[in-house]
Amino acid sequence: AVGVLMGCGSSQPEQADQERGAQQADVKTHSRQQASEQPCNGDAEDHGEETAAMKKQNTRARRLSYVTADANGVIQADPNVIVQKPVTPPGVPVTSLPSSANTRARRLSYVTNDPNQPGGKVNPDGPGSAEEEAEGTMPGVVEGTAGDSQLHAPTGTAQSAIRLHVACMSRAGREPGFKKTNQDNCFAFEKYITEDQSLFGAMDGHGPHGHLVSGYVKQHLPIILVQHLTTEKNVERALTSGFVEVDKSLGNSRIDCEFSGSTAVVSYLKGKTLTTAWVGDSRGVMGRLTEQGWEAIDLTNDHKPTTPEEKARILRSNGRVERLVDEVGQPMGPHRVWLQYAWIPGLAMSRALGDVLAHQVGVISEPDHSVVELTKQDQFIVLASDGVWEFISSKEAVDIIAQCATAEEACRQLVDEAYQRWLTEEEGVVDDITAVVVRFSHPAE
């Protein structure tokens, strides 16, 4: 029998999104009316408000991983609008951004004039149909421990060579003026297929329906991988087949993935062999205790469109890799993937699940892999979304976890620290933050 899936994440019904969009539209209309009533006297107070608003815009533009812009680099309200060949060369300023838009473009995952209003229909086949395919939980802070979570684990007498202590936590980000949906998700199976196998994963959705995409991956990828890991002897090929299949399944689902997708980092443990597969910029890090102290071993490398091999593939697929620029013509945020003659989709990673439009210009769903044979020095791993890694290095994360007595405490400390750093660095804008911590208890020899 299939065991209980333990994971974190959230999604909200389309109706809630629509109501939120209507409320935001009312706020925008009211704001425009107020602006028209203000005298254009250029006093110090107005200038201060304008400066503060511009600061929020720049923050948004830096942080977003997914941006939709028009031919002149202007963020579009409707990501489905296809523009013609850019009429200005790189370096044209991004103007007319909404409040906090530039912040999102620098750091987060998707930019529209209304960042929480979906672009296009989520569920063309009926109310709630997309939600039914992407299981989620309530927004906000979601915690869990692996405990007895298992999938197809038999009741035999085989025992794992390494005991595991697992915890996960997902915390919704925040954006002043909006009720933000948590687009992250994760899962953890302490016992997976057989008792000496385990599976852990973290996903970070992006785009208007990113929460649905990451929820879909959380729900379906572990099940899809059961068949591939059972029939395929090569673990790396099995994980790749699972990623590709869930990506194809997403394209056939009721979820609109044209401008939405998800990262994924998955670690599969069998005996003492840890294999990690990933797409995007969610990361895996291992904490190793040596005579010199704690070391951080990166299990993944971010898939960025500027990496030579990644960029070459995108260019061969007739895509572009360019940066946005700010109001004074200075480059801002990461390099992004665009269509040849349109400022869409603006994805800041070169591999992802979903993202149908970006897949047309060289973004792929095939993961990279790393393999580690665990020793007694290897004490734990952490899989986390970029909400953790934006302001915390791999070594800092290892040091935080190493100071904690339990996996649960480590998870909370890491997520809380990441949240506080976002508040400090970005003046109130916080990305979704998710972490899975797995501690290893090695058997005595």
Side-chain angles (χ1 to χ4, degrees), residues 87 306 364:
V87 296
T306 50
I364 61 175

Side-chain angles (χ1 to χ4, degrees), residues 7-18:
C8 305
S10 70
S11 59
Q12 294 182 349
E14 181 186 18
Q15 181 179 0
D17 287 338
Q18 293 173 343

Side-chain angles (χ1 to χ4, degrees), residues 250-274:
L250 264 169
N252 296 326
S253 73
R254 297 183 179 92
I255 301 172
D256 182 356
C257 298
E258 185 175 12
F259 289 89
S260 299
S262 179
T263 69
V265 54
V266 174
S267 284
Y268 168 70
L269 179 64
K270 184 174 183 180
K272 295 184 178 181
T273 303
L274 180 71

